[in-house]
Amino acid sequence: MGINVTSNDESGEVNIAISGRFDFSMNNEFRKILVDSSGTDSSYLIDMGAVDDLDSSALGMLLLLREKAGGDEANIKIRKCQPDIIEMLEMANFQTMFDIS
Amino acid sequence: MTEILDSYNNLRQSGPISGSRVKWLFLVVFLYTGMVVGLWVYEQYFLLLIAGLLSAWISAFYIRHFYNGVANDGEDVGNSITESVVAQNQRYSSITQKMNDENRAISEEVSRISNIISDATAELSTSFNTMNEQAGQQKQLMSSILAGSDSSCGDDNTSMSLDDFIEDTSNMMNFYIQTIVDTSKESVRLVYKLDDLCERVVSIENLLKDLKFISDQTNLLALNASIEAARAGEHGRGFAVVADEVRNLSMSSVDFSSQIHNVVADAVTGIKEAREVIDEIASKDLRFVIDAKSKNTKLSQQIHALQKKSDENMYKVSAITESIDESVGVAVRSLQFEDIATQLAAHVIERSNYMEQVSADINSALETSLSVKDRNELEASIKNICDVCDSGIEHIEGIRKSAVSQEKMDAGDIDLF
């Protein structure tokens, strides 16, 4: 259970791999990502392959990241979501704010 | 008539002028003549005289008998014919009476048929008119239902359709989801701010450390000052008091420090508790909402499908109602057969009455013939009967001609009401 952050020096893209239950308990680790963000210069790839559940706090955190990374100009990709995770993201209308697949 | 002929023929066969009898007569006359000639030749004049007298008597006898017979036969034939005619007329009379009865029965039954038809068509007409009215009402209700399902159905200005309701519900759910997500986002942000606050508060501890160092040093200095004051003796007495006060100050500083430490600890605890509360606020399970939203979508689809089906059925019912209307119209028009039927029935009854009249006349003519006494009366009554029959035939021919103009009923010729 946790967040694993690596950054690709070539492309400058930050790779965030989340595993287990993505909820409020991850807020401390997530803060680090927010603090390290360089705003619109950062691009992120969030790997949700190992995420088995989401709650509203996870969605809140993703929105905070988007805000920090430039709002509408943010470049955030969310990948490898399981079907019910996608359902939740779509229900909150995240497909218009993030690049989801 | 054959009866009369039969009896006439019988008389001819058995009467004195029958064929075989004539033969015998000639034979006897021939022999008798022979005998007379013989007697005259043999000059037996006495025997001849007797033979002559005998022959005269026999002839007289025979002629009288013959004359009587003929008269009687004539009378017999006359009587026999009269009896036969009377018997015949009796038969005719009873037959015409029977036919009259049948006629009356026919007339009555036709009359009943006519009445039944009239009553039935009156009832049918009422029934069809009622059906027509009800079909019309049905149609109106259909129209209003159809109109209602398309747009608003309610009395006040804020009324809305089922579609609007479903859309509103969907929007409300989206709003709810947005609210939850936004709340979670702000809650996490709040938590981060509390973390910063916590850090600030905790950093007071470091300041307290410095403060402790200072008060410790102050204490030490005060101690040194006391020692120096004691060394200085009397001159140092004032200084010693000052040194003591400084020592007291540093003690209360330590005291304050520890109080501040407690306050900081409380603040940190408070912040930690706040974090827990925010944890709860921020962590909303969304699966419940997903279920609700998908149910809503399904419900919406079902309602739409139902509504479509309902509309289709309404249109079908509407069409059926129209065709009921038409069918009822056709039925009402075809009831007009009653007119022709009753007219025809009246005609049948009229003809039957004519026939009754004619046969009554014939019957009374026949009745008078039953009491004839002789040939003249018979002739008169037979002529009467013939006259009555002739006039009856004329009468019936007259009715026939007027009936030919009645045509068969044709739907096209009937006026629509």
Side-chain angles (χ1 to χ4, degrees):
Chain A
M1 275 252 304
I3 302 183
N4 192 8
V5 182
T6 53
S7 88
N8 188 327
D9 289 322
E10 272 178 25
S11 57
E13 191 176 72
V14 179
N15 200 312
I16 306 170
I18 310 175
S19 59
R21 202 185 138 86
F22 188 1
D23 64 5
F24 193 73
S25 57
M26 297 210 179
N27 76 77
N28 287 327
E29 294 166 63
F30 207 81
R31 188 154 192 206
K32 291 200 194 90
I33 302 169
L34 286 176
V35 162
D36 293 339
S37 161
S38 43
T40 46
D41 293 340
S42 312
S43 69
Y44 296 90
L45 176 69
I46 305 179
D47 183 345
M48 304 268 263
V51 172
D52 46 32
D53 204 2
L54 271 189
D55 69 2
S56 65
S57 57
L59 298 180
M61 283 187 252
L62 287 171
L63 284 177
L64 281 176
L65 178 63
R66 182 174 179 266
E67 212 180 81
K68 192 80 200 291
D72 287 338
E73 276 130 40
N75 186 355
I76 307 176
K77 302 188 191 64
I78 304 179
R79 294 283 180 265
K80 299 190 196 159
C81 301
Q82 306 205 347
D84 47 347
I85 304 289
I86 290 191
E87 205 180 346
M88 274 194 261
L89 293 175
E90 279 176 357
M91 193 190 62
N93 221 18
F94 269 28
Q95 68 278 9
T96 59
M97 297 188 275
F98 300 87
D99 179 4
I100 305 177
S101 67
Chain B
M1 205 61 204
T2 47
E3 268 193 14
I4 297 173
L5 285 174
D6 280 348
S7 64
Y8 191 68
N9 279 336
N10 281 342
L11 282 170
R12 277 195 68 209
Q13 298 283 3
S14 57
I17 44 173
S18 64
S20 56
R21 288 253 177 118
V22 169
K23 284 185 201 151
W24 275 111
L25 192 66
F26 271 119
L27 188 64
V28 166
V29 165
F30 181 68
L31 286 174
Y32 199 75
T33 315
M35 188 188 80
V36 163
V37 168
L39 280 176
W40 193 60
V41 166
Y42 285 106
E43 290 174 15
Q44 301 290 324
Y45 291 115
F46 185 66
L47 284 174
L48 189 64
L49 182 69
I50 293 172
L53 284 171
L54 189 67
S55 71
W57 184 75
I58 290 173
S59 309
F61 177 77
Y62 225 109
I63 287 168
R64 198 175 64 188
H65 184 71
F66 180 70
Y67 182 70
N68 273 349
V70 164
N72 279 345
D73 286 349
E75 208 176 289
D76 282 349
V77 166
N79 284 342
S80 173
I81 288 177
T82 309
E83 274 170 24
S84 300
V85 167
V86 164
Q88 184 188 255
N89 287 352
Q90 258 179 0
R91 300 294 188 283
Y92 282 153
S93 178
S94 54
I95 281 188
T96 47
Q97 261 177 19
K98 287 274 180 294
M99 280 175 29
N100 233 17
D101 292 342
E102 282 306 298
N103 220 17
R104 209 166 299 134
I106 289 173
S107 177
E108 274 169 18
E109 280 176 10
V110 166
S111 179
R112 265 176 63 199
I113 290 174
S114 181
N115 287 339
I116 287 170
I117 290 177
S118 282
D119 291 343
T121 47
E123 276 186 37
L124 280 170
S125 188
T126 314
S127 175
F128 282 134
N129 281 332
T130 311
M131 252 173 82
N132 218 11
E133 267 174 45
Q134 288 172 335
Q137 284 173 7
Q138 218 175 21
K139 204 168 149 182
Q140 266 184 1
L141 283 170
M142 282 306 137
S143 299
S144 73
I145 290 174
L146 274 169
S149 70
D150 286 338
S151 60
S152 61
C153 45
D155 295 332
D156 49 79
N157 294 333
T158 60
S159 63
M160 58 174 168
S161 71
L162 206 52
D163 272 340
D164 287 344
F165 173 73
I166 292 169
E167 208 187 308
D168 277 1
T169 309
S170 187
N171 290 342
M172 198 167 67
M173 296 196 97
N174 285 337
F175 178 71
Y176 178 59
I177 292 166
Q178 283 307 312
T179 306
I180 291 180
V181 172
D182 281 345
T183 305
S184 290
K185 180 176 101 179
E186 296 307 321
S187 302
V188 170
R189 204 206 299 275
L190 185 62
V191 155
Y192 293 160
K193 286 214 189 309
L194 280 178
D195 284 347
D196 290 346
L197 187 65
C198 202
E199 248 173 73
R200 291 260 168 80
V201 164
V202 162
S203 70
I204 293 174
E205 295 274 348
N206 292 337
L207 292 171
L208 286 177
K209 275 202 194 105
D210 291 341
L211 195 61
K212 183 156 195 299
F213 177 72
I214 291 173
S215 69
D216 284 347
Q217 291 297 95
T218 311
N219 215 13
L220 221 61
L221 282 170
L223 200 59
N224 279 339
S226 290
I227 294 170
E228 289 303 316
R231 242 209 241 140
E234 275 300 322
H235 298 295
R237 213 177 285 232
F239 195 66
V241 166
V242 169
D244 279 341
E245 282 307 310
V246 169
R247 270 193 86 202
N248 286 339
L249 278 174
S250 83
M251 296 287 217
S252 55
S253 162
V254 166
D255 200 28
F256 281 132
S257 213
S258 115
Q259 280 181 32
I260 290 171
H261 181 84
N262 289 339
V263 166
V264 165
D266 284 346
V268 167
T269 309
I271 288 171
K272 283 209 167 70
E273 279 171 8
R275 256 178 141 266
E276 272 163 32
V277 167
I278 294 171
D279 184 343
E280 272 202 36
I281 293 172
S283 306
K284 293 294 178 214
D285 180 21
L286 297 166
R287 292 199 189 274
F288 175 74
V289 186
I290 287 179
D291 277 348
K293 198 167 180 199
S294 77
K295 274 184 199 156
N296 194 45
T297 310
K298 260 189 219 150
L299 182 67
S300 166
Q301 285 170 352
Q302 275 178 356
I303 288 174
H304 271 122
L306 265 172
Q307 206 166 50
K308 192 170 160 206
K309 196 85 201 282
S310 170
D311 279 352
E312 278 174 18
N313 286 341
M314 290 293 184
Y315 279 120
K316 277 186 201 162
V317 171
S318 210
I320 289 173
T321 307
E322 286 265 5
S323 81
I324 287 177
D325 222 14
E326 282 172 25
S327 300
V328 167
V330 166
V332 167
R333 281 198 294 281
S334 25
L335 285 181
Q336 289 169 2
F337 82 94
E338 187 236 354
D339 249 9
I340 300 284
T342 43
Q343 276 179 38
L344 284 172
H347 253 275
V348 167
I349 293 171
E350 205 187 322
R351 285 162 105 160
S352 156
N353 286 341
Y354 271 131
M355 280 175 29
E356 202 178 314
Q357 186 61 53
V358 164
S359 67
D361 291 342
I362 291 177
N363 215 25
S364 60
L366 286 170
E367 298 263 296
T368 59
S369 83
L370 295 181
S371 56
V372 296
K373 307 233 177 18
D374 58 31
R375 202 179 133 176
N376 290 334
E377 282 186 16
L378 180 68
E379 270 183 31
S381 83
I382 287 178
K383 183 167 186 309
N384 185 26
I385 292 170
C386 288
D387 285 343
V388 165
C389 285
D390 285 341
S391 81
I393 289 172
E394 252 179 56
H395 226 143
I396 290 175
E397 283 294 316
I399 301 168
R400 273 267 210 90
K401 286 205 179 96
S402 77
V404 162
S405 62
Q406 271 300 321
E407 288 173 50
K408 216 175 72 168
M409 174 169 150
D410 183 4
D413 293 335
I414 296 175
D415 291 332
L416 304 176
F417 290 101

